[in-house]
Amino acid sequence: MGAVKTKRMPRAVREQQMLDAAVETFGRRGYMAASMDEIAELAGVSKPLVYLYLNSKEDLFTACIRREAEALVGAVRAGVDTGLPADRQLWDGLLAFFAHTGRHPHAWSVLHIQARTHGETFAAEAAAMRAEIVAFVTQLIVVAAREAHRDPDLPEREVAGLAEALVGAAESLAAWANTAESVTPRQAAATLMNFAWAGLGNLMTGHPWSPPEP
Amino acid sequence: MGAVKTKRMPRAVREQQMLDAAVETFGRRGYMAASMDEIAELAGVSKPLVYLYLNSKEDLFTACIRREAEALVGAVRAGVDTGLPADRQLWDGLLAFFAHTGRHPHAWSVLHIQARTHGETFAAEAAAMRAEIVAFVTQLIVVAAREAHRDPDLPEREVAGLAEALVGAAESLAAWANTAESVTPRQAAATLMNFAWAGLGNLMTGHPWSPPEP
Amino acid sequence: MGAVKTKRMPRAVREQQMLDAAVETFGRRGYMAASMDEIAELAGVSKPLVYLYLNSKEDLFTACIRREAEALVGAVRAGVDTGLPADRQLWDGLLAFFAHTGRHPHAWSVLHIQARTHGETFAAEAAAMRAEIVAFVTQLIVVAAREAHRDPDLPEREVAGLAEALVGAAESLAAWANTAESVTPRQAAATLMNFAWAGLGNLMTGHPWSPPEP
Amino acid sequence: MGAVKTKRMPRAVREQQMLDAAVETFGRRGYMAASMDEIAELAGVSKPLVYLYLNSKEDLFTACIRREAEALVGAVRAGVDTGLPADRQLWDGLLAFFAHTGRHPHAWSVLHIQARTHGETFAAEAAAMRAEIVAFVTQLIVVAAREAHRDPDLPEREVAGLAEALVGAAESLAAWANTAESVTPRQAAATLMNFAWAGLGNLMTGHPWSPPEP
DNA sequence: GATGAATGAGCGTTCATTCAT
DNA sequence: CATGAATGAACGCTCATTCAT
């Protein structure tokens, strides 16, 4: 198992191998249960080399978070054409999101679960990425409301809660799609669009659901 | 902090004190970082007693998950009157859910985060509870569709995905509400109902959002 | 080798065994080269027990320094009768000093060498003990000068340097006596008294040696 | 700090740079805590080169001890004119000794502390140098006794102990002078001459201090 | 001649777990 | 019933040392 034991590779290559192994191990076992020994072995190198290049378990984990956060945001960005209408942008973004998280389940576990449960430093690193995505969704909601000629704009806190719920639902569906094997990114994205967009549509035409009196 | 150090309590009581301490510690530190020493001290008993009653760290953690899962499901069930319309049931259930998770953040952390990241055994335990909630929501969606005279029924997989997304959004909002301090359970529930129910409403009247051709 | 492996001893006893083993190991190998493994084995216990009782290598070393410093100062104090003349007090003190350092060479190594070369914290601990001894000698010199009717008192810095030299010579002779096996404490003390006291005597009668012009 | 990184220097020069760096590092950190990495970096060369030229950490340390021992003995020898009277020779030797150790504190630490606390091999290396100095002092004492017409000669063991004490006092004062910043080599040497020579003077004129009966 | 790449071995420390009382 | 005493196993990390180029 693990990478083929090739000797004398340039530093940059070895570093990527180590990050690959670390992401897999952190994702599979969790931050604390992952041992540097296992990561080194999976990377096909000795432990001291991991320390020489990545400094410490914390630094290694941070490097994983950063690399995978950039990869995920990059994948979503690459999937979206900002010239298209808001609903199409959301659809494309979701598709890219589910495709990427489906292809890199360990990376998604690192970002979604591990990073958020082992110290503020890591959480902040992952939160920065999530904030980018929430901001993207928030802006889509505002634009969509205008496209639907809703006037005046939705209150800010309302929009924040909606974006939070939408992203939360997406994150949850990503886990679901990773588990239930026959769910494709398309299906996951379609489910979420139906769930969310139509609801937002009703909101925008002024027919929100009203809670009963307490 | 910690139980008052009283001697000679009946076993059942002592066990609950230990579980209280364990839930708080597991929730605060995470499964791996929580030490049996800390739990025993917080419970006000000696470490061997913890082992005598709860066997091992794994068993102790399992007991925590079971107890808190039952408590959460019980709280939601107690908040819902199955004689009322589906939307009212969902509203009441969400209210109870957000209230309970808000009052017991460590327990929620154990169920939502810790249980799902430290081995299949624990994850299955928590998944059983989640399945109950998803089943409840699934059935509400089916009932609501019928109440709205939608015909024919939504495809099963569609409903499953929708329930999954709704529960996922709720879980995400629970964390959000626990963090952003000024969010009350009512506000969280209202946001989610607006987001979800109105969307479902559109779906049910036959106006789903259509994905573009690939 | 090492202590007989006796099980279940009271904590206080085990702690002393550990300190015994630690002093011997630190003295023999030096602070850095001494391994906690070796200390634990020599003490006849497992390594975790050493940590449970003594906390860390640094704390263990500090405990060694403190115990042995007190033992040495106590031995010198017990050997001296402050009612006797100054030269007799010095003689008795030296005798006690050489006897104690001769009987506990590892302890002497810890105090004289190891403590002073591995960080300010340890050095300060040992310096406090040395300061007690230097103060004792300083006061003896002053008293002796008065007993010899020297008038006026020797300048303070002069006395400080003399006490420093005397103590330094004693420390050096302790090592010498530990190495050259046939040297008894009496012989070492006599050599030093001849060397020092007679020199001080000359000083006090006003015949110091004069350095040549530069 | 460290040598300027110049390429293609003759081996002898490179070696001296390495030894300079090693002496400083060993003196500053101690033998065990000094790392070959730090030494190589301070010397401005790569680690394998250090091994190529100096073989191992032990050999490197031995080379340091040898070089600095020779330098110290050389400095003392150069300061003394063997044609002068014994007291003048001692004075000049002490002056040279304190001046050299003051100018090279790391070297002095290597010889006086590090070499004596990390294995018999190193200790023997430093002991050889110390023996030279003790021999020099021993002979001075014998000569001085004759110059003072003392008859018969002092017993050999007596002289050995006196020389040992004198050298020990000097070593101790060297450390003291390195620490207390305002002490010049002249002051240190004067203190020691007053302390020792006058005492020896009394001894030689037949007025030694007598220990009390046991 | 000189170095970037790599490692075996070991250290300080911690933790879940178990006896003996 | 309850606990003070004790440990096997593992973990994060570092270091002296050596290849392959």
Side-chain angles (χ1 to χ4, degrees), chain B residues 43 49 74 78 109 115 162:
Chain B
L49 197 59
S109 165
L162 291 171

Side-chain angles (χ1 to χ4, degrees), chain B residues 52-71:
Chain B
L52 187 64
Y53 285 0
L54 277 315
N55 267 331
S56 72
K57 194 184 189 183
E58 297 205 345
D59 284 6
L60 173 57
F61 191 44
T62 304
C64 288
I65 297 172
R66 285 219 182 106
R67 191 184 79 166
E68 296 307 328
E70 269 176 36

Side-chain angles (χ1 to χ4, degrees), chain C residues 69-95:
Chain C
E70 267 177 37
L72 175 54
V73 169
V76 171
R77 238 195 267 286
V80 171
D81 178 345
T82 52
L84 301 178
D87 61 344
R88 175 63 191 265
Q89 284 190 53
L90 183 56
W91 165 258
D92 288 334
L94 286 173
L95 216 48

Side-chain angles (χ1 to χ4, degrees), chain D residues 49-68:
Chain D
L49 196 58
V50 178
Y51 278 88
L52 188 63
Y53 284 1
L54 278 313
N55 267 330
S56 72
K57 195 184 188 183
E58 298 205 345
D59 284 6
L60 173 57
F61 191 45
T62 303
C64 288
I65 297 172
R66 284 218 183 106
R67 192 184 78 166
E68 297 306 329

Side-chain angles (χ1 to χ4, degrees), chain B residues 15-35:
Chain B
E15 263 187 34
Q16 290 308 310
Q17 288 179 349
M18 290 178 195
L19 288 178
D20 290 344
V23 168
E24 173 159 352
T25 307
F26 284 135
R28 205 190 283 285
R29 307 248 188 264
Y31 175 67
M32 300 254 21
S35 83

Side-chain angles (χ1 to χ4, degrees), chain C residues 32-33 87-88 91 113 117 130 157-158 164 168-169 172 176 182-183 191 193-199 202 208-209 212, chain D residues 32 87-88 91 113 117 130 157-158 161-162 164-165 168-169 172 176 182 193-199 202 208-209 212:
Chain C
M32 300 243 45
D87 61 344
R88 175 63 191 265
W91 165 258
I113 314 235
T117 40
R130 194 179 197 266
R157 165 186 284 260
E158 190 83 19
E164 185 69 34
S172 181
W176 177 65
S182 52
V183 178
T191 295
M193 285 300 289
N194 271 335
F195 177 69
W197 207 250
N202 260 4
W209 176 92
Chain D
M32 300 255 21
D87 62 343
R88 175 62 193 263
W91 166 256
I113 314 229
T117 40
R130 195 176 194 267
R157 164 184 293 266
E158 189 83 18
L162 291 172
E164 188 69 35
S172 183
W176 179 63
S182 51
M193 285 300 290
N194 269 333
F195 176 67
W197 206 251
N202 258 4
W209 176 92

Side-chain angles (χ1 to χ4, degrees), chain B residues 47-113:
Chain B
K47 219 176 0 167
L49 197 59
V50 177
Y51 278 88
L52 187 64
Y53 285 0
L54 277 315
N55 267 331
S56 72
K57 194 184 189 183
E58 297 205 345
D59 284 6
L60 173 57
F61 191 44
T62 304
C64 288
I65 297 172
R66 285 219 182 106
R67 191 184 79 166
E68 296 307 328
E70 269 176 36
L72 176 54
V73 169
V76 171
R77 240 195 264 287
V80 172
D81 178 346
T82 53
L84 301 179
D87 63 343
R88 175 62 192 263
Q89 283 190 55
L90 182 58
W91 166 257
D92 288 335
L94 287 173
L95 218 47
F97 175 80
F98 287 124
H100 187 88
T101 55
R103 262 198 309 270
H104 307 289
H106 296 313
W108 176 238
S109 165
V110 164
L111 290 174
H112 181 46
I113 314 229

